[in-house]
Amino acid sequence: MSTYNEIKQIGQGGFAKVFLIEFANGTQAARKVFYPNQDQPLGLEELASVKERFKREVIYLSSIDHSNVVKIISSEIHLEPPAYIMPLADATLADDLLTIREYPIQDRIKIFMDVLAGLEEIHDLSIYHRDLKPQNILRFGVNYAISDFGLISLDKSQVSGLTHTGLAIGSDKYTAPEITCELKFASRASDIYSAGCILHDLTTLNFGARVPCNQIKDPKNPYEVILQICTRLDKNERFQSVKDLREAVVSIVTVGSHQQPIQGSYQESVLAHLKDDTNYNVVFLNSFLNFLEDETYANSHSVFLNLDQIIIEKIIAVNDLNIISRLSKVYSKWLSNINFDFSMCDVVASRLDILWNINDPEVRTHVLLGLLIMGTNHNRWYVEQKFVSRIKTCDPLTAQRFLMESLVRKTQVRAAIEHLPNSINFNRSELPYMIQQGFERYSI
């Protein structure tokens, strides 16, 4: 590791101090050092437990490569006290909140989507944050990443009896009530509670007006129903996944008339059937797909926008591979040819990704192409990284089919692949070997 000089202390939390450091080449970074700072001193057993969690934070953060999760530049957990080095942030979300309140609502929701993208990544690894709040969300340029996993917990890990740890009722406006008793009660739902509080910060007209560890009530807030669900006292009655919360947030956005079908139109009728019917029949779905395949995007756009997770899952439940394949193809083409704001990018990508569970090379290829082209067209890291996670683990038949389809869409795919290194630091050398060879052979 390069030598560095410690410049000054720039922050302190309940379990660490943060210092500004400078390397010999002049670049700066932040060094986080384990340092318990509790109102009541911890006993030896509790101190050892917290220190192990701090080290575990470093180990697991070092294994995560996601643009909305703060990266580890260097680990120093072998030192006493343990520490790690991370990129130097421009600010925290807490620093930015007053300014953000003046932003258009779509820009504030984009920030929330950054938070959800990082949270989904760690939840997919069965990791809970347990201390998600604006102070622990860092801004790098215009993008936000979650950090400070000092109280990190893993599914099925041995959690000590450490209680409270600075998260007592009344002291924090972001902590779920169930983990103020014992941190071992942390879950995805407790992070969803905290995410709801952050959404409230970003959208409320009465900034900060809420009671800690209670359900949010903010009648003038357009997202009040979502805020209430996020912060229900019974964790089993909250949104149970980041995907569900993201869908709900965007459902508020799509209420706008320009995103809804014209009253009395075929589009309105078909969406009513899709939303209301419990089971679809093949004749209806074939007619519906004929419409999507034959109409211009201007005429079908409102229908595509409203094909939510529930509708897509009901279509899959019909268990007709021809219908699923046609849906994946037309949906992928729509994504590749339409512009979205960032919040909608994340949702439609997540919806397309549902089809990845269909173990069929053609369907999976359409998923890959849709994620790749839409993600790079919008420079949306969340979508690009979904593509990367799928392409890295795809089976040989999907890789072969993706290569053939890439040859058909050579110009688009080449431009997208060349975009990724500057966006999410992904190089074509990380693609499956079969695809690397094919791209070289066909000059893609």
Side-chain angles (χ1 to χ4, degrees):
M1 183 188 70
S2 303
T3 58
Y4 55 82
N5 292 318
E6 188 177 289
I7 308 299
K8 61 180 180 179
Q9 183 175 331
I10 57 175
Q12 181 169 318
F15 296 93
K17 290 183 177 180
V18 182
F19 297 89
L20 173 66
I21 63 171
E22 185 172 280
F23 294 101
N25 64 4
T27 60
Q28 295 183 330
R31 182 172 184 259
K32 182 177 176 181
V33 183
F34 179 70
Y35 181 82
N37 179 39
Q38 301 296 295
D39 293 335
Q40 296 181 345
L42 299 176
L44 291 178
E45 184 177 345
E46 292 175 334
L47 183 63
S49 175
V50 174
K51 183 183 288 187
E52 284 306 307
R53 291 178 188 172
F54 181 93
K55 292 180 179 179
R56 193 164 62 217
E57 169 188 3
V58 182
I59 293 169
Y60 281 93
L61 278 178
S62 297
S63 69
I64 298 174
D65 182 18
H66 192 282
S67 302
N68 299 114
V69 178
V70 172
K71 301 181 188 306
I72 299 292
I73 295 175
S74 179
S75 168
E76 297 180 344
I77 59 174
H78 60 286
L79 300 180
E80 187 58 47
Y84 65 87
I85 297 172
M86 61 184 181
L88 183 63
D90 297 309
T92 69
L93 180 57
D95 298 329
D96 291 344
L97 271 175
L98 286 176
T99 302
I100 287 169
R101 290 185 67 204
E102 306 300 322
Y103 290 2
I105 188 66
Q106 63 266 28
D107 292 341
R108 286 179 271 159
I109 294 301
K110 183 268 176 188
I111 293 169
F112 188 60
M113 290 299 169
D114 280 356
V115 176
L116 292 187
L119 193 60
E120 184 176 49
E121 176 68 14
I122 67 169
H123 282 185
D124 284 348
L125 298 171
S126 296
I127 299 171
Y128 315 138
H129 191 288
R130 305 205 294 186
D131 195 21
L132 190 66
K133 55 189 176 184
Q135 293 88 337
N136 293 338
I137 299 168
L138 308 185
R139 176 169 58 80
F140 300 89
V142 298
N143 298 291
Y144 289 83
I146 60 176
S147 70
D148 203 353
F149 293 64
L151 302 178
I152 200 169
S153 171
L154 291 173
D155 275 354
K156 301 178 183 178
S157 63
Q158 295 297 314
V159 181
S160 77
L162 184 64
T163 61
H164 299 290
T165 61
L167 302 180
I169 292 177
S171 67
D172 193 295
K173 292 185 177 180
Y174 302 90
T175 304
E178 65 271 12
I179 64 172
T180 60
C181 299
E182 286 199 42
L183 291 169
K184 69 181 181 181
F185 295 133
S187 65
R188 288 172 177 81
S190 55
D191 282 345
I192 293 292
Y193 181 100
S194 302
C197 295
I198 293 169
L199 177 62
H200 184 235
D201 282 350
L202 292 168
T203 58
T204 186
L205 300 176
N206 302 302
F207 181 65
R210 63 174 178 268
V211 178
C213 297
N214 274 267
Q215 186 178 36
I216 292 174
K217 296 181 180 179
D218 189 356
K220 294 184 179 181
N221 192 310
Y223 295 89
E224 188 194 27
V225 173
I226 293 171
L227 298 173
Q228 288 185 350
I229 295 173
C230 285
T231 58
R232 284 172 175 160
L233 299 186
D234 184 344
K235 67 179 183 180
N236 295 315
E237 294 184 358
R238 299 174 198 151
F239 296 110
Q240 294 300 298
S241 71
V242 170
K243 180 183 291 185
D244 291 342
L245 175 53
R246 186 187 291 115
E247 277 278 358
V249 170
V250 169
S251 73
I252 302 297
V253 177
T254 56
V255 168
S257 59
H258 66 289
Q259 294 177 323
Q260 292 297 315
I262 297 171
Q263 190 172 2
S265 65
Y266 171 79
Q267 292 91 323
E268 182 186 53
S269 173
V270 76
L271 278 173
H273 280 292
L274 290 167
K275 291 178 184 297
D276 297 340
D277 291 357
T278 303
N279 300 302
Y280 303 148
N281 65 65
V282 173
V283 174
F284 165 71
L285 288 179
N286 276 318
S287 174
F288 165 62
L289 287 167
N290 287 339
F291 166 77
L292 292 183
E293 291 163 346
D294 296 341
E295 283 294 331
T296 64
Y297 293 128
N299 288 337
S300 59
H301 186 62
S302 63
V303 177
F304 278 115
L305 278 179
N306 286 279
L307 293 182
D308 60 25
Q309 175 183 336
I310 294 173
I311 291 174
I312 292 173
E313 288 174 345
K314 286 194 289 187
I315 294 174
I316 292 173
V318 174
N319 199 28
D320 186 309
L321 186 57
N322 177 60
I323 284 173
I324 295 170
S325 179
R326 289 173 65 194
L327 176 64
S328 68
K329 182 177 182 179
V330 71
Y331 199 97
S332 175
K333 284 189 173 181
W334 171 68
L335 289 185
S336 302
N337 288 278
I338 297 294
N339 289 323
F340 306 96
D341 63 37
F342 277 170
S343 59
M344 201 65 208
C345 276
D346 292 5
V347 171
V348 293
S350 183
R351 292 172 181 175
L352 177 66
D353 191 59
I354 295 169
L355 296 168
W356 185 262
N357 294 324
I358 306 301
N359 189 16
D360 177 77
E362 181 181 13
V363 173
R364 288 187 165 185
T365 293
H366 293 318
V367 172
L368 290 171
L369 287 170
L371 294 175
L372 173 64
I373 295 171
M374 192 265 276
T376 52
N377 281 349
H378 293 77
N379 195 31
R380 185 57 177 154
W381 295 347
Y382 172 82
V383 184
E384 293 170 346
Q385 287 183 296
K386 268 199 172 295
F387 164 77
V388 167
S389 68
R390 295 309 191 190
I391 196 74
K392 279 184 173 181
T393 59
C394 72
D395 59 277
L397 289 176
T398 299
Q400 184 178 32
R401 182 62 182 263
F402 177 78
L403 178 59
M404 294 300 100
E405 294 292 344
S406 295
L407 186 57
V408 175
R409 304 172 70 174
K410 185 174 180 179
T411 302
Q412 267 187 315
V413 172
R414 182 198 294 130
I417 293 294
E418 290 176 349
H419 174 89
L420 290 176
N422 295 323
S423 180
I424 59 170
N425 197 33
F426 175 82
N427 294 298
R428 59 176 65 218
S429 60
E430 301 175 68
L431 291 166
Y433 186 62
M434 177 191 301
I435 296 176
Q436 288 184 52
Q437 283 187 311
F439 277 13
E440 184 176 352
R441 183 183 313 123
Y442 301 121
S443 300
I444 297 176

